[in-house]
Short mmCIF file of all heavy atoms in Angstrom, two decimals:
data_model
loop_
_atom_site.label_atom_id
_atom_site.label_comp_id
_atom_site.label_asym_id
_atom_site.label_seq_id
_atom_site.Cartn_x
_atom_site.Cartn_y
_atom_site.Cartn_z
N LYS B 1199 6.19 -8.64 8.74
CA LYS B 1199 6.18 -9.56 9.89
C LYS B 1199 6.82 -8.79 11.10
O LYS B 1199 6.22 -8.80 12.21
CB LYS B 1199 6.82 -10.89 9.61
CG LYS B 1199 6.93 -11.85 10.76
CD LYS B 1199 7.57 -13.15 10.28
CE LYS B 1199 7.60 -14.23 11.34
NZ LYS B 1199 8.62 -14.01 12.37
N VAL B 1200 7.94 -8.28 10.86
CA VAL B 1200 8.70 -7.60 11.91
C VAL B 1200 7.87 -6.36 12.36
O VAL B 1200 7.82 -6.08 13.57
CB VAL B 1200 10.09 -7.17 11.36
CG1 VAL B 1200 10.80 -6.25 12.31
CG2 VAL B 1200 10.94 -8.42 11.14
N ALA B 1201 7.28 -5.62 11.45
CA ALA B 1201 6.49 -4.47 11.80
C ALA B 1201 5.38 -4.84 12.72
O ALA B 1201 5.14 -4.19 13.75
CB ALA B 1201 5.93 -3.79 10.51
N LEU B 1202 4.66 -5.97 12.35
CA LEU B 1202 3.56 -6.38 13.19
C LEU B 1202 4.00 -6.89 14.56
O LEU B 1202 3.41 -6.62 15.58
CB LEU B 1202 2.72 -7.46 12.46
CG LEU B 1202 1.43 -7.93 13.17
CD1 LEU B 1202 0.47 -6.77 13.43
CD2 LEU B 1202 0.69 -8.99 12.43
N GLU B 1203 5.09 -7.68 14.59
CA GLU B 1203 5.62 -8.23 15.82
C GLU B 1203 6.11 -7.09 16.79
O GLU B 1203 5.83 -7.08 17.98
CB GLU B 1203 6.81 -9.15 15.58
CG GLU B 1203 6.32 -10.47 14.99
CD GLU B 1203 7.41 -11.26 14.33
OE1 GLU B 1203 8.55 -10.71 14.11
OE2 GLU B 1203 7.26 -12.46 14.01
N CYS B 1204 6.80 -6.10 16.18
CA CYS B 1204 7.28 -5.05 16.95
C CYS B 1204 6.07 -4.24 17.59
O CYS B 1204 6.06 -3.90 18.79
CB CYS B 1204 7.99 -4.07 16.00
SG CYS B 1204 9.41 -3.30 16.74
N ALA B 1205 5.03 -3.97 16.77
CA ALA B 1205 3.89 -3.27 17.30
C ALA B 1205 3.09 -4.12 18.30
O ALA B 1205 2.63 -3.61 19.30
CB ALA B 1205 2.94 -2.93 16.15
N ALA B 1206 3.07 -5.44 18.05
CA ALA B 1206 2.38 -6.34 19.04
C ALA B 1206 3.08 -6.30 20.37
O ALA B 1206 2.47 -6.30 21.38
CB ALA B 1206 2.29 -7.76 18.47
N GLY B 1207 4.44 -6.26 20.33
CA GLY B 1207 5.21 -6.17 21.60
C GLY B 1207 4.90 -4.85 22.28
O GLY B 1207 4.64 -4.82 23.44
N ALA B 1208 4.89 -3.75 21.47
CA ALA B 1208 4.56 -2.45 22.08
C ALA B 1208 3.15 -2.44 22.61
O ALA B 1208 2.92 -1.82 23.69
CB ALA B 1208 4.70 -1.40 20.97
N ALA B 1209 2.23 -3.12 21.99
CA ALA B 1209 0.82 -3.14 22.45
C ALA B 1209 0.69 -4.04 23.75
O ALA B 1209 -0.13 -3.74 24.61
CB ALA B 1209 -0.14 -3.70 21.39
N LEU B 1210 1.52 -5.08 23.82
CA LEU B 1210 1.56 -5.89 25.08
C LEU B 1210 2.08 -5.01 26.19
O LEU B 1210 1.67 -5.12 27.32
CB LEU B 1210 2.51 -7.08 24.88
CG LEU B 1210 1.91 -8.43 24.42
CD1 LEU B 1210 3.04 -9.41 24.38
CD2 LEU B 1210 0.79 -8.83 25.30
N SER B 1211 3.07 -4.19 25.79
CA SER B 1211 3.67 -3.28 26.80
C SER B 1211 2.78 -2.07 27.12
O SER B 1211 3.14 -1.21 27.93
CB SER B 1211 5.02 -2.84 26.24
OG SER B 1211 5.79 -2.23 27.25
N GLY B 1212 1.62 -2.04 26.46
CA GLY B 1212 0.62 -1.07 26.85
C GLY B 1212 0.39 0.15 25.93
O GLY B 1212 -0.38 1.04 26.18
N ALA B 1213 1.13 0.16 24.76
CA ALA B 1213 1.01 1.26 23.84
C ALA B 1213 -0.17 1.04 22.85
O ALA B 1213 -0.48 -0.11 22.51
CB ALA B 1213 2.26 1.49 23.05
N LEU B 1214 -0.79 2.12 22.41
CA LEU B 1214 -1.82 2.06 21.41
C LEU B 1214 -1.13 2.11 20.04
O LEU B 1214 -0.35 3.06 19.75
CB LEU B 1214 -2.80 3.22 21.52
CG LEU B 1214 -4.00 3.26 20.54
CD1 LEU B 1214 -4.86 2.01 20.67
CD2 LEU B 1214 -4.86 4.52 20.78
N CYS B 1215 -1.31 1.09 19.16
CA CYS B 1215 -0.42 0.86 18.03
C CYS B 1215 -1.20 0.80 16.69
O CYS B 1215 -2.28 0.23 16.63
CB CYS B 1215 0.34 -0.44 18.14
SG CYS B 1215 1.38 -0.48 19.63
N LEU B 1216 -0.57 1.39 15.65
CA LEU B 1216 -1.06 1.19 14.30
C LEU B 1216 0.08 0.56 13.47
O LEU B 1216 1.18 1.03 13.53
CB LEU B 1216 -1.47 2.56 13.76
CG LEU B 1216 -1.87 2.57 12.25
CD1 LEU B 1216 -3.21 1.87 12.03
CD2 LEU B 1216 -2.06 4.04 11.76
N VAL B 1217 -0.24 -0.41 12.66
CA VAL B 1217 0.69 -1.09 11.77
C VAL B 1217 0.14 -1.00 10.36
O VAL B 1217 -1.03 -1.32 10.14
CB VAL B 1217 0.89 -2.54 12.09
CG1 VAL B 1217 2.11 -3.10 11.37
CG2 VAL B 1217 1.04 -2.76 13.62
N THR B 1218 0.97 -0.51 9.42
CA THR B 1218 0.42 -0.34 8.01
C THR B 1218 1.18 -1.14 7.02
O THR B 1218 2.38 -1.20 7.11
CB THR B 1218 0.40 1.17 7.67
OG1 THR B 1218 1.75 1.59 7.38
CG2 THR B 1218 -0.16 2.07 8.71
N MET B 1219 0.50 -1.64 6.05
CA MET B 1219 1.12 -2.41 4.95
C MET B 1219 0.15 -2.60 3.81
O MET B 1219 -1.05 -2.34 4.00
CB MET B 1219 1.50 -3.80 5.50
CG MET B 1219 0.39 -4.63 6.14
SD MET B 1219 0.99 -6.08 7.04
CE MET B 1219 1.86 -5.32 8.44
N LYS B 1220 0.68 -3.07 2.66
CA LYS B 1220 -0.26 -3.37 1.56
C LYS B 1220 -0.75 -4.82 1.79
O LYS B 1220 -0.22 -5.61 2.61
CB LYS B 1220 0.45 -3.20 0.21
CG LYS B 1220 1.58 -4.15 -0.08
CD LYS B 1220 2.19 -3.81 -1.47
CE LYS B 1220 1.18 -4.13 -2.57
NZ LYS B 1220 1.65 -3.66 -3.87
N HIS B 1221 -1.76 -5.18 1.00
CA HIS B 1221 -2.42 -6.50 1.26
C HIS B 1221 -1.48 -7.66 1.28
O HIS B 1221 -1.54 -8.49 2.13
CB HIS B 1221 -3.57 -6.70 0.25
CG HIS B 1221 -3.15 -6.72 -1.22
ND1 HIS B 1221 -2.02 -6.06 -1.66
CD2 HIS B 1221 -3.70 -7.27 -2.33
CE1 HIS B 1221 -1.93 -6.31 -2.99
NE2 HIS B 1221 -2.93 -6.99 -3.39
N VAL B 1222 -0.61 -7.78 0.31
CA VAL B 1222 0.33 -8.96 0.23
C VAL B 1222 1.30 -8.95 1.44
O VAL B 1222 1.78 -10.00 1.80
CB VAL B 1222 1.05 -9.05 -1.06
CG1 VAL B 1222 0.14 -9.52 -2.20
CG2 VAL B 1222 1.79 -7.74 -1.46
N GLY B 1223 1.50 -7.74 2.02
CA GLY B 1223 2.33 -7.72 3.27
C GLY B 1223 1.71 -8.49 4.38
O GLY B 1223 2.43 -9.03 5.20
N VAL B 1224 0.39 -8.56 4.38
CA VAL B 1224 -0.27 -9.31 5.47
C VAL B 1224 0.02 -10.83 5.36
O VAL B 1224 0.02 -11.50 6.39
CB VAL B 1224 -1.83 -9.02 5.47
CG1 VAL B 1224 -2.52 -9.77 6.59
CG2 VAL B 1224 -2.10 -7.53 5.56
N ASN B 1225 0.29 -11.31 4.17
CA ASN B 1225 0.72 -12.67 4.06
C ASN B 1225 2.02 -12.88 4.81
O ASN B 1225 2.24 -13.88 5.47
CB ASN B 1225 1.00 -13.05 2.60
CG ASN B 1225 -0.25 -12.91 1.67
OD1 ASN B 1225 -1.36 -13.07 2.21
ND2 ASN B 1225 -0.09 -12.55 0.43
N VAL B 1226 2.94 -11.89 4.70
CA VAL B 1226 4.24 -11.98 5.41
C VAL B 1226 4.00 -11.94 6.95
O VAL B 1226 4.66 -12.63 7.68
CB VAL B 1226 5.14 -10.84 4.95
CG1 VAL B 1226 6.47 -10.88 5.67
CG2 VAL B 1226 5.34 -10.86 3.46
N ALA B 1227 3.02 -11.19 7.33
CA ALA B 1227 2.79 -10.94 8.76
C ALA B 1227 1.70 -11.95 9.32
O ALA B 1227 1.36 -11.87 10.50
CB ALA B 1227 2.24 -9.50 8.96
N ALA B 1228 1.26 -12.86 8.53
CA ALA B 1228 0.16 -13.74 8.93
C ALA B 1228 0.50 -14.58 10.15
O ALA B 1228 -0.33 -14.88 10.98
CB ALA B 1228 -0.32 -14.57 7.72
N ASP B 1229 1.74 -15.00 10.23
CA ASP B 1229 2.15 -15.91 11.29
C ASP B 1229 1.85 -15.29 12.71
O ASP B 1229 1.05 -15.84 13.51
CB ASP B 1229 3.57 -16.34 11.16
CG ASP B 1229 3.95 -17.53 12.01
OD1 ASP B 1229 3.05 -18.03 12.77
OD2 ASP B 1229 5.14 -17.97 11.97
N PRO B 1230 2.45 -14.13 13.00
CA PRO B 1230 2.14 -13.54 14.32
C PRO B 1230 0.68 -13.13 14.44
O PRO B 1230 0.06 -13.18 15.47
CB PRO B 1230 3.07 -12.34 14.37
CG PRO B 1230 3.51 -12.07 12.99
CD PRO B 1230 3.51 -13.36 12.28
N LEU B 1231 0.08 -12.69 13.27
CA LEU B 1231 -1.29 -12.17 13.33
C LEU B 1231 -2.30 -13.20 13.87
O LEU B 1231 -3.10 -12.95 14.70
CB LEU B 1231 -1.71 -11.73 11.94
CG LEU B 1231 -3.15 -11.19 11.83
CD1 LEU B 1231 -3.28 -9.86 12.60
CD2 LEU B 1231 -3.58 -10.95 10.34
N LEU B 1232 -2.14 -14.46 13.31
CA LEU B 1232 -3.15 -15.46 13.69
C LEU B 1232 -3.00 -16.00 15.09
O LEU B 1232 -3.84 -16.80 15.60
CB LEU B 1232 -3.16 -16.59 12.65
CG LEU B 1232 -4.17 -16.30 11.50
CD1 LEU B 1232 -3.62 -15.31 10.52
CD2 LEU B 1232 -4.66 -17.52 10.85
N THR B 1233 -1.93 -15.63 15.77
CA THR B 1233 -1.86 -15.97 17.22
C THR B 1233 -2.12 -14.79 18.11
O THR B 1233 -2.61 -14.98 19.23
CB THR B 1233 -0.47 -16.64 17.47
OG1 THR B 1233 -0.33 -17.83 16.68
CG2 THR B 1233 -0.34 -17.02 18.95
N MET B 1234 -1.84 -13.55 17.66
CA MET B 1234 -2.04 -12.43 18.59
C MET B 1234 -3.53 -12.16 18.76
O MET B 1234 -3.88 -11.53 19.74
CB MET B 1234 -1.28 -11.16 18.11
CG MET B 1234 -1.76 -10.54 16.84
SD MET B 1234 -0.74 -9.13 16.40
CE MET B 1234 0.84 -9.86 16.06
N THR B 1235 -4.40 -12.71 17.90
CA THR B 1235 -5.79 -12.56 18.19
C THR B 1235 -6.23 -13.51 19.33
O THR B 1235 -7.21 -13.31 20.00
CB THR B 1235 -6.68 -12.80 16.97
OG1 THR B 1235 -6.23 -13.96 16.30
CG2 THR B 1235 -6.58 -11.67 15.95
N TYR B 1236 -5.45 -14.56 19.49
CA TYR B 1236 -5.70 -15.48 20.67
C TYR B 1236 -5.29 -14.78 21.98
O TYR B 1236 -6.04 -14.78 22.90
CB TYR B 1236 -4.82 -16.76 20.50
CG TYR B 1236 -5.39 -17.83 19.58
CD1 TYR B 1236 -6.30 -17.53 18.57
CD2 TYR B 1236 -4.99 -19.11 19.76
CE1 TYR B 1236 -6.76 -18.52 17.71
CE2 TYR B 1236 -5.46 -20.13 18.95
CZ TYR B 1236 -6.32 -19.85 17.91
OH TYR B 1236 -6.78 -20.81 17.12
N THR B 1237 -4.05 -14.25 21.99
CA THR B 1237 -3.58 -13.69 23.27
C THR B 1237 -4.30 -12.38 23.61
O THR B 1237 -4.47 -12.04 24.73
CB THR B 1237 -2.07 -13.41 23.24
OG1 THR B 1237 -1.83 -12.40 22.20
CG2 THR B 1237 -1.25 -14.61 22.93
N GLY B 1238 -4.64 -11.60 22.50
CA GLY B 1238 -5.14 -10.26 22.77
C GLY B 1238 -3.99 -9.39 23.08
O GLY B 1238 -2.91 -9.82 23.43
#
Side-chain angles (χ1 to χ4, degrees):
Chain B
K1199 176 176 185 283
V1200 169
L1202 184 59
E1203 288 163 345
C1204 215
L1210 269 184
S1211 193
L1214 183 58
C1215 300
L1216 175 66
V1217 193
T1218 74
M1219 57 193 66
K1220 67 182 292 172
H1221 60 335
V1222 286
V1224 181
N1225 300 330
V1226 179
D1229 194 0
L1231 180 66
L1232 270 77
T1233 299
M1234 68 182 67
T1235 48
Y1236 279 22
T1237 62

